[in-house]
Amino acid sequence: MLLGYSWLLVACFVGFQYIREKEYRAGILDEQLQIYNRQILDAIAAGISVDECVKTQTTPFGGLRVTVMSTDGTPIYDNASDTLPQTNHLDRPEIREAIEHGIGHTVSRHSQTTDETYFYSAMAQGDFIVRSAAPYNVSLYRILEADRGFLWFMLIVTMLVSVFGWFSSRHIGKTETLYQESEKTRIKKQLTNNINHELKTPVAAIHVCLETLIDHPNLPESKRNEIIQRCYSNSKRLRTLLQDVSTLTRLEDGKDSIIRERVSVLQAIETAVAENPDADAFDIVIDVHKDIVLEGSPQLMLSVFRNLLSNAITYSQGNKIEILQPDPRTITFADNGVGIPSEHLERIFERFYRVDKGRSRELGGTGLGLSIVKNALAFHSATITATNLSPSGLQFIIRF
Ligand code: ADP
């Protein structure tokens, strides 16, 4: 494709250069003939007869045809035929040009008077127009012909550049594929490392709890319950983490195996609110006047609003959540809480990215919630962005 374009570009350039070269050469020829025309016109103005001028002046080309005419186009002298041409010459392009601009030329035209093809140059001055015409012969062709060496040079250079470009683009293509593969491996490795790290904490906590219970069978009831409670909450965290990781892996590697069915966005919002036991503590406004219905996964769509809702409840420290529809394909999800420091906003959709690491863990967060949201929306060809609200709060904008 790129190669095709560069060829086209070079073809245009060479073509343009070729035309310019021809024009340049025609210009040089015209200049020589015009010098001759001026000599004739000056001689006429000095009172010398046209016939004598033509015979005495040295011509720049052999076989030059000289025609003198009055400014109305009537020929009054022509050295190419014994009888003067009877036609008016005003319609000849070089004559018209000469009348308008003083000089004019025509690169090639066949003459009916002499049955030959000429290069014509005309000059108008005072009451006369002088036109000299060089017949097309081998030497004139040579003068007018563009330098073909230049064209060949351009062609060869283009071919060399194309071949070089083709090889290097193949090389770049290979390097790019290798880079993408190694990037993919690196991300996978990073994910595995993060998962290991995230798993270690709850597993170690459960281990310590169980060890304490085994080693101290006579612990007081209240202490025992406290340890069992800690064990339970850590196992819950472990379960959420495994669920989140499995959702993300499915979104990354098993997209094709997810069955697509009818998804109602409004239904996902309403279910997420209805099933969250802490939602009552918030004033929640849902104003989605025209439901958005897509082909996708109802479970994934539910997980989008489940995550956004539980984040707002857990982290915002606000008391109001608004889910609105500013236009038919956009849903906004906003709280009136503390928002997120702007330097973190860009990164909150990354896996395991937390604004306040300690607080998130403490509150049971895995750091995967918004990453799931983003990927689940991408599965439905939708995008999500986050902005802070004024005076306070965080707003997510989802575009379907
Ligand atoms: P987590 O599992 O920690 O909740 P998320 O990916 O869901 O991870 O969220 C990333 C971080 O973004 C959270 O740790 C939290 O600090 C911040 N965050 C998410 N939603 C809000 C919100 N509505 N208000 C303030 N901070 C938020």
Side-chain angles (χ1 to χ4, degrees):
M1 180 85 163
L2 208 66
L3 212 64
Y5 274 127
S6 37
W7 266 92
L8 193 73
L9 207 73
V10 170
C12 289
F13 176 69
V14 172
F16 174 71
Q17 204 57 27
Y18 182 73
I19 291 167
R20 279 207 27 179
E21 169 101 357
K22 283 204 112 169
E23 276 174 3
Y24 169 71
R25 282 165 181 265
I28 290 180
L29 180 63
D30 183 44
E31 251 168 50
Q32 281 175 300
L33 290 175
Q34 295 295 11
I35 291 171
Y36 180 76
N37 289 346
R38 178 166 295 285
Q39 285 169 347
I40 299 286
L41 277 164
D42 287 349
I44 294 172
I48 304 168
S49 82
V50 180
D51 199 28
E52 204 183 322
C53 295
V54 174
K55 280 187 186 129
T56 52
Q57 292 287 349
T58 38
T59 55
F61 297 99
L64 198 72
R65 178 185 170 197
V66 185
T67 315
V68 181
M69 58 205 92
S70 55
T71 42
D72 64 1
T74 318
I76 49 179
Y77 174 85
D78 197 318
N79 71 345
S81 60
D82 297 336
T83 54
L84 276 178
Q86 292 308 304
T87 45
N88 185 294
H89 280 34
L90 272 187
D91 63 334
R92 313 291 200 265
E94 71 279 1
I95 303 294
R96 251 184 294 138
E97 231 183 290
I99 290 171
E100 269 177 44
H101 307 292
I103 54 168
H105 75 266
T106 299
V107 173
S108 161
R109 195 179 61 243
H110 190 77
S111 161
Q112 280 166 0
T113 317
T114 63
D115 197 24
E116 265 198 78
T117 305
Y118 292 100
F119 181 103
Y120 292 99
S121 283
M123 181 180 278
Q125 188 177 283
D127 297 332
F128 301 99
I129 301 167
V130 171
R131 184 187 70 183
S132 44
Y136 268 80
N137 53 29
V138 179
S139 65
L140 193 78
Y141 269 118
R142 254 193 221 134
I143 293 172
L144 285 177
E145 201 48 25
D147 184 0
R148 283 178 192 266
F150 164 77
L151 296 180
W152 280 112
F153 172 75
M154 279 304 286
L155 203 74
I156 290 166
V157 166
T158 310
M159 280 181 61
L160 287 177
V161 168
S162 302
V163 171
F164 178 73
W166 187 70
F167 274 112
S168 43
S169 69
R170 261 173 56 118
H171 180 69
I172 291 170
K174 267 186 200 159
T175 321
E176 180 67 15
T177 321
L178 280 178
Y179 174 74
Q180 276 174 1
E181 271 170 17
S182 79
E183 216 14 38
K184 230 175 161 176
T185 321
R186 191 185 65 80
I187 291 172
K188 276 231 163 96
K189 220 170 170 177
Q190 199 183 38
L191 181 64
T192 321
N193 283 345
N194 280 329
I195 294 169
N196 282 343
H197 179 74
E198 295 294 326
L199 287 174
K200 261 184 212 153
T201 325
V203 168
I206 294 170
H207 187 85
V208 171
C209 290
L210 292 176
E211 222 171 35
T212 315
L213 289 177
I214 292 166
D215 290 349
H216 306 88
N218 300 321
L219 275 176
E221 186 73 14
S222 63
K223 190 79 191 159
R224 259 181 91 81
N225 282 346
E226 193 193 307
I227 295 172
I228 291 172
Q229 197 57 46
R230 208 181 313 147
C231 197
Y232 176 63
S233 71
N234 272 295
S235 80
K236 237 172 46 180
R237 179 150 162 230
L238 209 55
R239 201 180 64 162
T240 337
L241 185 70
L242 292 175
Q243 268 169 357
D244 281 359
V245 170
S246 122
T247 313
L248 260 185
T249 322
R250 202 155 59 104
L251 272 169
E252 297 229 312
D253 294 335
K255 250 189 246 153
D256 299 340
S257 64
I258 300 174
I259 299 161
R260 286 188 180 261
E261 48 191 302
R262 186 182 168 279
V263 178
S264 150
V265 173
L266 182 57
Q267 202 177 331
I269 295 170
E270 283 170 343
T271 312
V273 174
E275 72 176 24
N276 191 312
D278 303 316
D280 288 345
F282 276 73
D283 172 12
I284 299 180
V285 177
I286 303 173
D287 187 3
V288 177
H289 41 89
K290 188 159 188 334
D291 193 8
I292 299 169
V293 179
L294 321 152
E295 277 291 297
S297 156
Q299 285 85 356
L300 286 175
M301 192 56 74
L302 180 59
S303 78
V304 168
F305 292 101
R306 212 183 250 159
N307 273 301
L308 292 179
L309 187 71
S310 75
N311 276 355
I313 292 171
T314 317
Y315 304 112
S316 80
Q317 299 169 43
N319 59 5
K320 188 167 182 179
I321 293 168
E322 276 186 330
I323 304 165
L324 310 176
Q325 188 179 29
D327 70 65
R329 306 302 291 176
T330 306
I331 298 284
T332 57
F333 187 109
D335 62 56
N336 64 344
V338 292
I340 289 179
S342 56
E343 67 268 25
H344 294 285
L345 266 182
E346 284 263 304
R347 304 195 57 191
I348 52 171
F349 295 103
E350 290 174 20
R351 297 183 197 113
F352 296 111
Y353 194 86
R354 295 160 165 126
V355 178
D356 180 341
K357 285 194 175 59
R359 205 173 124 72
S360 161
R361 276 215 192 91
E362 205 179 290
L363 296 169
T366 59
L368 293 175
L370 289 178
S371 178
I372 290 177
V373 168
K374 189 172 181 164
N375 281 284
L377 285 169
F379 177 78
H380 293 90
S381 309
T383 57
I384 184 165
T385 51
T387 50
N388 280 313
L389 288 177
S390 156
S392 72
L394 183 68
Q395 183 187 54
F396 291 95
I397 302 165
I398 305 170
R399 293 198 174 84
F400 286 96

